[in-house]
Amino acid sequence: LRLYKLVNNLLDFSGIEANRITATYEPTDLASFTADLASVFRSTIEKAGLQLIIKARSLGEPVYIDREMWEKVVFNLLSNAFKFTLHGSITVLVHKKGAYAQLIVKDSGVGIPEQYKSRIFERFQRVETTQGRTMEGTGIGLTLVQDLIKLHKGTITFESVLGQGTSFIVLIPLGIS
């Protein structure tokens, strides 16, 4: 399964770099869809003694997304949150912010050391010195997420405090088909 995911991520990544990826945007109830995706992680997160909090408010209008790409965004962000959260909670928030849909994946994990913050979205960048459930990974997950968000004309940023956790904040415009 890990090899399968790695190969798929590498194929997605190379396809984006070669401009061979074509998005199929569909009107989607983003709050409901994201909540359903996040719920896939519930049993794993709770078995680890963590709490999964999902707050997905209706946006009042559909958002045009490529569902497969959005799934990869949500799964990558939640996988990272789980990997680096040893106690506490992981929160998924979806709401409207002006002319944008905002997704926030927030954890009470170990946080990102200062020396990695400026390079966190760089290809093959891995945070090696921090505690986590596993040190596996290729370092392309956040790069792939950023590229997929850009295909939706959106942005991704983050806030992190060492020892307190990290929040990844995604904004994608409403009403774009």
Side-chain angles (χ1 to χ4, degrees):
L1 183 63
R2 287 185 188 137
L3 183 58
Y4 175 76
K5 287 180 183 177
L6 171 62
V7 169
N8 279 337
N9 278 345
L10 288 171
L11 288 172
D12 289 338
F13 191 71
S14 66
I16 289 170
E17 283 199 327
N19 292 320
R20 289 188 317 244
I21 295 286
T22 306
T24 304
Y25 300 102
E26 317 174 41
T28 304
D29 178 344
L30 191 70
S32 176
F33 185 56
T34 303
D36 289 347
L37 292 173
S39 293
V40 170
F41 283 77
R42 185 171 299 283
S43 67
T44 301
I45 288 171
E46 289 177 351
K47 281 181 188 173
L50 302 172
Q51 183 180 16
L52 176 63
I53 301 163
I54 302 171
K55 295 181 181 177
R57 297 186 204 132
S58 173
L59 303 177
E61 63 184 289
V63 179
Y64 287 81
I65 59 167
D66 180 298
R67 288 172 172 252
E68 191 175 309
M69 289 181 185
W70 189 253
E71 178 179 304
K72 289 176 184 175
V73 167
V74 173
F75 283 2
N76 264 290
L77 293 176
L78 278 169
S79 294
N80 280 349
F82 179 69
K83 180 177 176 181
F84 294 108
T85 304
L86 303 176
H87 60 276
S89 63
I90 297 170
T91 303
V92 177
L93 303 164
V94 179
H95 61 270
K96 193 173 184 176
K97 183 171 184 179
Y100 294 88
Q102 184 176 59
L103 164 69
I104 300 173
V105 176
K106 179 180 180 175
D107 65 58
S108 60
V110 297
I112 300 169
E114 199 63 41
Q115 68 266 31
Y116 290 100
K117 287 182 177 180
S118 65
R119 301 187 323 258
I120 200 71
F121 293 110
E122 288 179 11
R123 185 180 346 166
F124 306 119
Q125 180 61 48
R126 293 179 54 202
V127 178
E128 305 266 356
T129 61
T130 191
Q131 271 189 308
R133 287 181 199 288
T134 175
M135 291 313 294
E136 295 174 359
T138 59
I140 64 168
L142 288 174
T143 306
L144 176 62
V145 165
Q146 184 179 49
D147 289 345
L148 294 173
I149 295 301
K150 284 180 181 176
L151 287 172
H152 286 81
K153 306 286 188 250
T155 61
I156 182 168
T157 58
F158 73 96
E159 299 167 354
S160 186
V161 177
L162 198 59
Q164 294 180 26
T166 301
S167 295
F168 281 92
I169 303 112
V170 175
L171 288 170
I172 59 172
L174 298 168
I176 292 183
S177 61

